[in-house]
Amino acid sequence: MTVLAGIGFTAPWVLLGLLTLPILWLILRAVPPAPIRRLFPAVTLLLGLKDDESVSDRTPWWLLLLRMLAAAAIIIGLAGPVLNPSRDEAGSGPLLLVLDASWAGATRWSSTLDQIDAQLTEAGRAGRPVSILRLTEPEPPVFQAAEAWLGRLPGLTPMPWQPTEAQIPQTLAALEQVEGGFDTHWFSDQLSFEGHDRLVSALQGRGEVIVYQSPASATAILPATYQDGAIQLRVLRANPGPAESVTVLAQGRDPAGAMRVLQSTSLEFESGSTQAQIDLALPSELRARITRFELQGQRSAGAVTLTDDSLRRREVALIAGTLNREGLELLSPLHYLTQVLIPTADFVEGGLTEVLPANPDVIVLADVAKLSDSEQADVIEWVEQGGLLLRFAGPRMAASDLGRDEEDDLLPVRLRSGGRSVGGAMSWGEAKGLAPFSENSPFYGLTIPADVTVTTQVMAQPDPNLADRVIASLSDGTPLVTRKPLGLGQVVLFHVTADAEWSSLPLSGLFVEMLDRLAVASAAKSRQEAQMQGTVWEPVQILDGFGTLTDAGTLAGVDGVELVSGQIGPDLRPGLYESGKQKLARNVLAEDAVLTPAVWPTDVPIRGQDITTETPLAGLLLSLSLVLLTIDVIASLALSGRLGLARAAAVMLGALLVVPDAQAQTPDDTDFALNATQELVLAHVLTGDAQVDDIALAGLRGLVQTLHYRTSVEPADPIGVDLERDELAFFPLLYWPITTDQPQPSAEAYAKLNAYLRSGGMILFDTRDADIAGFGASSPNGRKLQQLAAPLNIPSLEPVPRDHVLTRAFYLLQDFPGRYSGTEVWVEAAPPNAEQIEGMPFRNLNDNVTPVVIGGNDWAGAWAVDRNGQSLLPVGRGYAGERQRELAHRFGVNLVMHVLTGNYKSDQVHVPALLDRLGQ
């Protein structure tokens, strides 16, 4: 591109046409304007006379100037002028765009894509073949026309890991397959990684390397730890800088189940420091609700740390069959258990009937033989709801007839009468050691100390289920620990006492590790490789590069050792993992991680990621030339006396060019009611922001068009409603865009809104901020929504479940995007007793319509069309963006169908068709 006077030209040779303007001036000046013809009879007297000297009239100078300007505008417009053109040298030959594409660049990812878009455009002008290489997902470079890559940009997303040690050799091998040289533009995320220097050297050997990276320092949060009764939070930045404050948000579910910000705190970076730290002391109940910590204003996986069992101290109730004897604490059956659990668990004091209402995580019964019938029933119900009942044997259990004739519900196996002594003074045998743990045991992989022996135990009776329930045994094969599931919970029996009377197990570190594997002790301490040996953890939810949790789908389980010590990458995703009842969060950064800034060779130029928006001027100049030529025609007609003949045509042309604004006029109350009731009408709430209101109206107009084309519902043109003045009962659906400065409605307006919701109306609240916010009050629009919705009678809400009627009212949907996607959409929570009937793909819900739908995906922006039916606002890029817009229209159709028909798609008559469409 040639730049002249700050304006770029894509076809500068066309400007040579400007040299013809002086010639055109002389030609036009020599040609007189058309004479004015008048009928005058006396002119016949002049017929036959000749004038030896004739002087021709000349075209007025201002008309000549007008024509020159029109011609110049056409020539310059055809030269492809561009305002604010890129000053980078276009270069020649193949161009390789290298992207770190890691979590560190996710916050600025949209800016990165804009800059890549600009470079692809520039490469297309220069005719350079281009290839894009992502280091977090390396593939052999394929050089293609720049235009071919423009449609693929929406599919480029950052990954929640940095380039791994295994990926760098793959990248180098892929580069070796490319023949010839090429230039490289590297979009760096600022952070160094293993093999960075080798990759830079390899690329420099092929051609010039230019680095683009933001001057803003990459920031991340380390996994939260629980120490000394407080949550320790640490935030890192890659480069030391001036003093800086960052805000950390603790997010989780409130008692109603809604996700919100539970706590926020600020951390201070000292000048020149790269780490900030704070200890956050929270009540145990609040601490247990936290699911993640997040850096405010950051949108990356590194700015999120997920929590697991490590922050929640387990609540344990210890109940013994005998009372402690004063002064003999070491003889107490609960002494060793207390010492093991006191650092990581909270104890629930009281008897069995007193602790059950507190719903502890674990109940330990040490040598408790018999329970009353009511206690038995209450404990069974508690276990079936997910509790862990841990029982220890002892003299009382050995002497009782518990589980002799038939299996007791609160025992894993049937027991023999009496105990077995194998190493005491009255026996001939020796104390028994422990056998290695089997692969299906939760203790598999633990090291068994040689000094752990058992002298006395209660014996299990032979039973067909015995082998499946033994999870630890002695060297002679007799059971030491047995377990069985009961409902959602489990019952575990140690066939020895909880003290050192029958075995040395409670005196060993193995005892602590066994309790940890059973999830009795809290996982507050870091999990070591030895503790994770032999365990397999299933992924439940995984983080994407932007820090959003998504379903893990069919990802395979991960070995426990690899989970705690492996490098995050394509084979080990950050997220939440489960093993039995235990949860483990694997975050992007480890507890000892540091952010190392990338160091570049001195001969590699480093440029910022700021881009200058290019503005094409060709259309403007060509339009200007048409206007000037139109003025020329009118002036010529005026000079020749023919303006009267063209006056009507000019008026008609002006009428066509001036399109009246189709905004609804403000009618009086009677006209408003007639317009709203003659046909079905959708409405939006007027916010006072003209731009937002225009987009809301255009969005509903686009939704109305979609309904006309695809359904039998044919609404009239949408209108805007004033909450203070207009009646709301006429409208089945109100779209309410949220702005930070819209006024709070009056008490009378809230009374109308509550009556509207009670009568079956629906309000779609749209905060329009899903591109920068997650949920709750983490954004200004989210906080404004809370203020506006507080006086409304809104029921309990939940994210749209997979079987909600909104997912099948017309189209089968699972996502509800607008201009943006990724945030949850909230609707009225299902009744607690809603159950799924066998053979049906969804629960039996009531027929009510959810009164509110809340989200932030800017649906009106995706629906919005102009009067010609063309989309007003962009959605994503290329095919992926149009697919997202299509899903937004489908969500709008489902929404209208739901508000008009209720939950009719939950009727059993629709089950065969739905099952056929679902492929079940």
Side-chain angles (χ1 to χ4, degrees):
M1 180 184 295
T2 302
V3 179
L4 299 174
I7 298 178
F9 294 91
T10 58
W13 56 270
V14 178
L15 295 177
L16 295 175
L18 294 175
L19 299 177
T20 65
L21 290 181
I23 301 175
L24 184 62
W25 172 279
L26 296 175
I27 294 175
L28 293 176
R29 188 170 182 270
V31 177
I36 301 175
R37 297 180 178 271
R38 301 290 187 203
L39 293 177
F40 185 57
V43 173
T44 58
L45 298 175
L46 302 177
L47 294 176
L49 299 178
K50 295 183 179 179
D51 190 356
D52 295 335
E53 295 182 2
S54 61
V55 179
S56 62
D57 195 6
R58 300 178 188 274
T59 302
W61 68 267
W62 55 268
L63 188 58
L64 286 175
L65 180 61
L66 190 68
R67 292 172 177 175
M68 293 300 99
L69 291 176
I74 293 175
I75 293 173
I76 298 175
L78 293 177
V82 176
L83 186 64
N84 296 325
S86 173
R87 301 277 181 170
D88 295 340
E89 297 181 2
S92 61
L95 174 64
L96 178 65
L97 302 181
V98 176
L99 287 70
D100 282 357
S102 70
W103 60 265
T107 300
R108 300 176 298 275
W109 189 250
S110 59
S111 299
T112 301
L113 290 183
D114 290 341
Q115 191 166 26
I116 294 175
D117 188 293
Q119 296 215 7
L120 288 174
T121 302
E122 186 66 25
R125 294 189 190 125
R128 306 184 68 180
V130 181
S131 182
I132 296 179
L133 174 64
R134 285 189 297 169
L135 299 183
T136 48
E137 278 192 328
E139 295 179 352
V142 177
F143 289 93
Q144 298 176 327
E147 293 76 9
W149 287 101
L150 287 172
R152 306 180 193 177
L153 287 185
L156 301 180
T157 57
M159 293 297 158
W161 60 81
Q162 287 186 268
T164 64
E165 296 180 17
Q167 289 176 325
I168 297 304
Q170 297 176 11
T171 304
L172 294 173
L175 292 175
E176 290 178 356
Q177 299 177 13
V178 180
E179 297 181 357
F182 53 82
D183 292 337
T184 301
H185 291 182
W186 190 329
F187 293 86
S188 171
D189 294 339
Q190 288 193 338
L191 300 183
S192 182
F193 48 83
E194 187 69 28
H196 182 271
D197 295 340
R198 286 185 294 156
L199 188 55
V200 173
S201 299
L203 292 174
Q204 282 187 300
R206 295 301 190 95
E208 183 185 18
V209 176
I210 300 176
V211 173
Y212 295 85
Q213 69 178 25
S214 172
S217 180
T219 309
I221 184 171
L222 295 178
T225 57
Y226 186 78
Q227 296 180 4
D228 300 327
I231 301 174
Q232 187 178 90
L233 299 174
R234 292 177 294 159
V235 179
L236 303 179
R237 60 182 179 182
N239 299 305
E244 181 185 3
S245 176
V246 295
T247 300
V248 178
L249 306 177
Q251 298 174 342
R253 299 194 180 275
D254 62 12
M259 191 68 74
R260 64 176 64 251
V261 177
L262 302 179
Q263 184 77 18
S264 64
T265 184
S266 296
L267 287 80
E268 301 292 335
F269 282 103
E270 297 181 358
S271 179
S273 173
T274 59
Q275 178 172 314
Q277 178 175 324
I278 193 173
D279 292 337
L280 189 62
L282 297 175
S284 58
E285 180 180 356
L286 180 61
R287 188 175 64 245
R289 294 185 180 277
I290 296 176
T291 58
R292 59 193 272 162
F293 291 94
E294 181 177 303
L295 294 180
Q296 189 176 37
Q298 300 285 327
R299 190 166 176 253
S300 76
V304 172
T305 179
L306 304 175
T307 65
D308 51 24
D309 296 336
S310 62
L311 293 190
R312 190 170 68 89
R313 290 169 65 92
R314 307 275 285 179
E315 293 183 345
V316 180
L318 301 178
I319 300 174
T322 58
L323 296 177
N324 295 343
R325 287 169 283 181
E326 184 177 357
L328 298 177
E329 291 185 1
L330 292 178
L331 299 180
S332 167
L334 301 179
H335 171 75
Y336 296 101
L337 282 171
T338 303
Q339 296 303 310
V340 169
L341 299 177
I342 198 171
T344 57
D346 294 327
F347 295 108
V348 180
E349 305 288 345
L352 191 57
T353 57
E354 296 170 339
V355 302
L356 281 174
N359 194 27
D361 298 297
V362 183
I363 294 179
V364 179
L365 299 181
D367 197 20
V368 176
K370 280 290 187 179
L371 300 177
S372 65
D373 292 341
S374 61
E375 290 177 336
Q376 181 96 353
D378 291 342
V379 174
I380 291 175
E381 181 181 0
W382 171 82
V383 174
E384 289 177 341
Q385 294 177 357
L388 169 61
L389 178 63
L390 180 61
R391 305 193 69 168
F392 287 87
R396 285 172 172 253
M397 182 177 290
S400 70
D401 59 355
L402 183 64
R404 299 292 187 264
D405 300 329
E406 60 183 13
E407 182 179 320
D408 189 275
D409 290 333
L410 297 180
L411 282 177
V413 294
R414 293 190 300 138
L415 302 177
R416 295 182 181 179
S417 60
R420 175 201 184 200
S421 179
V422 293
M426 301 300 294
S427 66
W428 294 99
E430 296 181 352
K432 302 296 183 182
L434 274 63
F437 301 115
S438 62
E439 292 187 2
N440 61 351
S441 170
F443 310 134
Y444 178 71
L446 296 181
T447 301
I448 302 175
D451 58 350
V452 174
T453 58
V454 174
T455 58
T456 307
Q457 66 180 132
V458 292
M459 298 291 292
Q461 292 195 36
D463 190 272
N465 297 323
L466 179 60
D468 295 333
R469 296 181 179 180
V470 175
I471 56 178
S473 58
L474 298 181
S475 57
D476 61 358
T478 56
L480 175 64
V481 185
T482 53
R483 177 179 66 173
K484 77 171 181 181
L486 183 59
L488 298 177
Q490 57 182 331
V491 179
V492 179
L493 172 64
F494 277 74
H495 291 241
V496 295
T497 57
D499 56 20
E501 187 174 350
W502 285 14
S503 74
S504 61
L505 178 62
L507 303 176
S508 67
L510 177 63
F511 186 60
V512 179
E513 294 175 336
M514 293 175 72
L515 293 181
D516 183 64
R517 288 287 183 93
L518 291 172
V520 177
S522 168
K525 55 184 179 300
S526 301
R527 296 187 182 271
Q528 305 298 324
E529 293 185 24
Q531 296 174 310
M532 302 293 286
Q533 288 182 357
T535 62
V536 176
W537 296 74
E538 298 294 333
V540 180
Q541 291 180 302
I542 58 174
L543 281 172
D544 64 14
F546 296 107
T548 303
L549 273 176
T550 58
D551 187 76
T554 59
L555 288 179
V558 180
D559 178 73
V561 176
E562 177 68 16
L563 182 60
V564 297
S565 62
Q567 184 181 15
I568 291 294
D571 299 326
L572 178 60
R573 307 292 182 97
L576 291 174
Y577 292 78
E578 280 187 353
S579 178
K581 287 291 185 179
Q582 300 184 78
K583 283 187 177 181
L584 178 62
R586 185 64 162 91
N587 289 292
V588 172
L589 299 180
E591 294 182 9
D592 57 351
V594 294
L595 301 183
T596 304
V599 178
W600 303 95
T602 56
D603 57 343
V604 173
I606 301 176
R607 301 175 182 175
Q609 287 191 343
D610 296 332
I611 61 173
T612 303
T613 302
E614 295 183 348
T615 305
L617 300 178
L620 178 63
L621 290 173
L622 292 177
S623 299
L624 176 61
S625 67
L626 291 177
V627 173
L628 294 177
L629 291 175
T630 302
I631 297 174
D632 175 73
V633 171
I634 297 173
S636 299
L637 291 173
L639 292 176
S640 63
R642 295 186 178 90
L643 184 59
L645 299 176
R647 184 177 294 114
V651 172
M652 293 180 61
L653 179 62
L656 291 175
L657 293 176
V658 180
V659 180
D661 186 13
Q663 287 285 349
Q665 301 296 319
T666 304
D668 58 24
D669 292 342
T670 302
D671 292 339
F672 180 84
L674 289 175
N675 293 335
T677 55
Q678 286 179 345
E679 295 184 73
L680 174 66
V681 177
L682 306 180
H684 67 93
V685 175
L686 295 173
T687 65
D689 187 319
Q691 182 178 6
V692 173
D693 292 340
D694 289 345
I695 292 177
L697 182 65
L700 293 182
R701 185 191 303 131
L703 179 58
V704 166
Q705 290 183 7
T706 302
L707 291 168
H708 275 266
Y709 295 150
R710 306 184 185 185
T711 73
S712 60
V713 180
E714 298 182 349
D717 289 339
I719 60 177
V721 296
D722 186 339
L723 296 178
E724 304 294 340
R725 183 191 63 196
D726 298 330
E727 177 57 51
L728 307 179
F730 306 136
F731 312 102
L733 174 65
L734 284 180
Y735 175 75
W736 192 338
I738 304 300
T739 62
T740 56
D741 54 356
Q742 62 183 277
Q744 193 84 3
S746 64
E748 293 76 12
Y750 276 117
K752 288 195 295 183
L753 285 167
N754 283 319
Y756 173 76
L757 294 176
R758 286 194 300 270
S759 62
M762 177 192 289
I763 300 177
L764 173 60
F765 290 100
D766 191 352
T767 58
R768 306 175 299 110
D769 58 359
D771 58 329
I772 60 173
F775 45 76
S778 59
S779 70
N781 285 7
R783 290 188 288 271
K784 186 64 177 182
L785 172 60
Q786 288 188 345
Q787 297 174 9
L788 294 173
L792 295 178
N793 185 19
I794 296 178
S796 298
L797 303 176
E798 67 177 356
V800 177
R802 302 183 73 86
D803 62 348
H804 195 277
V805 73
L806 267 178
T807 64
R808 60 183 185 278
F810 192 85
Y811 292 102
L812 293 179
L813 299 174
Q814 289 300 332
D815 297 312
F816 313 100
R819 284 194 72 199
Y820 315 117
S821 62
T823 59
E824 293 179 327
V825 178
W826 294 77
V827 296
E828 181 181 4
N833 58 351
E835 297 180 355
Q836 183 171 346
I837 300 175
E838 184 177 359
M840 292 186 65
F842 40 77
R843 291 171 294 175
N844 184 22
L845 303 173
N846 56 37
D847 290 331
N848 293 332
V849 174
T850 175
V852 296
V853 177
I854 300 177
N857 291 335
D858 192 9
W859 289 288
W863 300 332
V865 297
D866 58 19
R867 283 297 176 180
N868 297 321
Q870 301 298 316
S871 299
L872 283 179
L873 301 175
V875 176
R877 288 182 172 86
Y879 173 78
E882 290 309 310
R883 175 61 180 169
Q884 183 172 324
R885 191 192 301 277
E886 169 63 21
L887 292 178
H889 280 288
R890 294 185 179 188
F891 167 68
V893 172
N894 278 21
L895 195 69
V896 174
M897 289 297 182
H898 176 47
V899 74
L900 294 180
T901 63
N903 286 346
Y904 85 108
K905 276 293 182 73
S906 292
D907 295 341
Q908 292 194 26
V909 68
H910 300 287
V911 171
L914 287 172
L915 288 176
D916 181 64
R917 292 181 65 191
L918 290 169
Q920 298 182 8

